[in-house]
Amino acid sequence: MTRSDSRSRQRTGRTYVTDLTHLPDPLDPDPRIPEPARRLAEYLGSIVEKASLYFPERWGETNMRCRRRPGRQRCPGRIHVRIGKEDPPEILWACPRCEENGIIRNWQGSAWDLSDVGWDLPEDTHGLEDVPAVSSPSIIPMYQVDAFTDRLFEGNPAAVCPLTDWLADDLLQKIAAENNLSETAFFVPRDDEFEIRWFTPAVEVDLCGHATLAAAFVLMDLMEPARRSVTFRSRSGPLHVTRDGDLFSLDFPSRPAVPIPAPPGLSEALGASPAAVLKARDTIVVFDDPDVVRRLAPDMEKMKSIGGFAVCATAGGAGRDGDVDYVLRFFAPAQGIDEDPVTGSAQCSLAPYWSERLGKTLLRARQVSRRSGEILCEVSGNRVRIAGKAVLVFSGIFRIPRQATS
């Protein structure tokens, strides 16, 4: 039960509770929920879509401020609906940390009008607090973030989907394919940490830098703005992310590359002959001139036959790129990505290589793809710190039929 708002008169009745991130599906409602509550779920779904409840900080004069956050920052919470026997329902907001609540108001400062929901509740339907909370994965929040940039339409776009629990692998892959971005990141809370997974439109990958940065941005800038660090559990081990202002630093494992003979057909696929070839997760091709890297026009069908996860072309900074230590481009057509705009995980191999070659541990890289982006790196033992900024492009709701989640 929620505490009564100090500005409201005492009301009789019960409280129906629904999680903001998992509204009941109005197209396939739970039969345990009385019909009036089902209509309310449908109405709440409309409010979420039309009023962007996933971003309560965007609302006008509401009292959605958390006592436990510095400066009483606004924060996402849970939606509580108080149903009285004689009164119309009230939609309340409650912070999951301090349980502060208040009536949610619209942009004009008045309460939402629920008169059209049709609240003719018979007395015997009022035990709604005894009804199990409905958690449907059919409505999933989604954010698109441009990573490794502070400007829209630059850097590398990633989709981020926070979940309360994991969906089936094939469903995660379908969502990523529908997003059709180089990566979609999904994360699930586990104690004070989060499990994270990344999917291209075609496959799951074991490490992704820009989508990790995007996920950290969503978590620390939008969902929990008081948070300054997070640990993601991944297939590549624990990944720590810290925030300093608008700069996010990723602590990733180092993946040093070793020299190898050039794979057959590499030069033909690239349209240029590299000065050196190395191998880690990716095949790394090194050129003497950064302008050669800029001019590459690979044959993507031929590139699919080259070994490794991807082919990363790089050269030291010079000429118009003299303000950075090295440049790069990243091609992964076999993974469903012809060219990745800005690739954080590639620095796990490139930063150690250029650190040893240049004799420095602090490095600045520029990915010279069409969108381009800049990355700051620091090599420290067997770890590489990769730093960059991010900006929100849009947010919305991903609707999935209930049968697809069962």
Side-chain angles (χ1 to χ4, degrees):
M1 295 289 290
T2 60
R3 294 180 290 109
S4 297
D5 187 81
S6 59
R7 298 178 301 174
S8 302
R9 61 186 176 85
Q10 185 65 35
R11 298 165 59 98
T12 59
R14 305 302 186 186
T15 301
Y16 171 76
V17 181
T18 183
D19 192 313
L20 184 60
T21 60
H22 285 109
L23 292 172
D25 187 350
L27 302 180
D28 189 12
D30 191 307
R32 299 172 297 177
I33 305 300
E35 180 59 32
R38 297 184 198 181
R39 291 198 297 270
L40 177 63
E42 183 174 0
Y43 192 85
L44 283 176
S46 175
I47 290 177
V48 167
E49 291 184 311
K50 296 179 181 178
S52 298
L53 273 179
Y54 290 125
F55 293 96
E57 69 273 13
R58 292 185 179 178
W59 282 48
E61 294 300 320
T62 69
N63 54 357
M64 296 187 289
R65 293 181 181 272
C66 175
R67 290 194 299 257
R68 295 186 182 180
R69 293 176 181 268
R72 288 175 57 80
Q73 297 173 2
R74 300 171 188 265
C75 60
R78 292 173 64 88
I79 292 297
H80 296 238
V81 180
R82 186 159 54 201
I83 303 171
K85 293 183 178 180
E86 298 178 355
D87 302 307
E90 288 181 329
I91 301 181
L92 306 180
W93 172 88
C95 172
R97 292 174 179 254
C98 68
E99 298 182 356
E100 182 174 6
N101 62 46
I103 298 174
I104 292 181
R105 300 179 182 277
N106 60 23
W107 290 280
Q108 286 74 39
S110 58
W112 286 97
D113 181 10
L114 298 180
S115 58
D116 58 342
V117 179
W119 289 94
D120 302 326
L121 286 178
E123 188 169 341
D124 59 2
T125 66
H126 277 288
L128 296 185
E129 78 278 11
D130 299 325
V131 177
V134 178
S135 180
S136 167
S138 61
I139 300 177
I140 299 172
M142 186 182 74
Y143 308 84
Q144 184 166 318
V145 176
D146 284 344
F148 292 116
T149 183
D150 59 358
R151 294 186 294 271
L152 286 176
F153 314 124
E154 296 186 14
N156 199 351
V160 178
C161 293
L163 304 173
T164 57
D165 211 342
W166 289 114
L167 304 175
D169 290 359
D170 64 335
L171 182 55
L172 297 176
Q173 186 63 72
K174 288 177 181 178
I175 293 173
E178 186 71 18
N179 290 334
N180 200 31
L181 298 172
S182 58
E183 303 286 349
T184 296
F186 302 90
F187 64 80
V188 169
R190 291 290 184 263
D191 300 322
D192 195 42
E193 298 180 343
F194 295 82
E195 293 178 357
I196 190 168
R197 297 171 68 181
W198 312 273
F199 289 77
T200 77
V203 297
E204 181 176 7
V205 300
D206 64 349
L207 186 65
C208 179
H210 83 279
T212 303
L213 191 158
F217 170 82
V218 168
L219 181 62
M220 288 191 271
D221 197 82
L222 303 177
M223 297 175 65
E224 300 184 25
R227 181 186 282 269
R228 288 296 176 266
S229 66
V230 63
T231 298
F232 291 110
R233 305 177 192 174
S234 76
R235 286 166 50 175
S236 295
L239 307 175
H240 307 291
V241 185
T242 57
R243 178 183 183 181
D244 183 7
D246 57 357
L247 189 68
F248 294 82
S249 295
L250 319 177
D251 185 357
F252 272 25
S254 175
R255 291 176 168 176
V258 296
I260 62 168
L266 176 62
S267 296
E268 291 80 3
L270 286 170
S273 298
V277 181
L278 302 94
K279 181 69 183 302
R281 179 196 68 173
D282 311 315
T283 300
I284 298 173
V285 292
V286 183
F287 293 90
D288 295 326
D289 185 350
D291 283 339
V292 174
V293 176
R294 284 181 174 273
R295 292 194 300 266
L296 289 176
D299 184 320
M300 294 303 171
E301 285 302 314
K302 292 181 179 180
M303 291 284 283
K304 292 179 181 179
S305 64
I306 306 301
F309 178 83
V311 175
C312 183
T314 186
R320 58 177 147 173
D321 296 305
D323 58 333
V324 298
D325 295 297
Y326 62 93
V327 303
L328 69 142
R329 290 175 68 187
F330 190 89
F331 309 103
Q335 317 306 326
I337 310 167
D338 283 353
E339 181 169 4
D340 196 36
V342 191
T343 313
S345 62
Q347 316 315 313
C348 295
S349 300
L350 292 181
Y353 171 80
W354 287 108
S355 174
E356 182 178 358
R357 182 166 168 175
L358 300 176
K360 57 193 301 186
T361 57
L362 296 176
L363 301 150
R364 183 179 178 188
R366 175 176 296 137
Q367 196 145 338
V368 290
S369 60
R370 182 178 59 85
R371 286 179 65 111
S372 188
E374 296 195 358
I375 308 171
L376 303 177
C377 300
E378 180 181 6
V379 178
S380 178
N382 63 352
R383 307 295 294 182
V384 177
R385 293 188 66 83
I386 305 165
K389 299 179 180 180
V391 60
L392 179 68
V393 180
F394 66 82
S395 65
I397 299 170
F398 207 109
R399 287 187 174 273
I400 302 172
R402 182 184 292 273
Q403 60 270 22
T405 64
S406 59

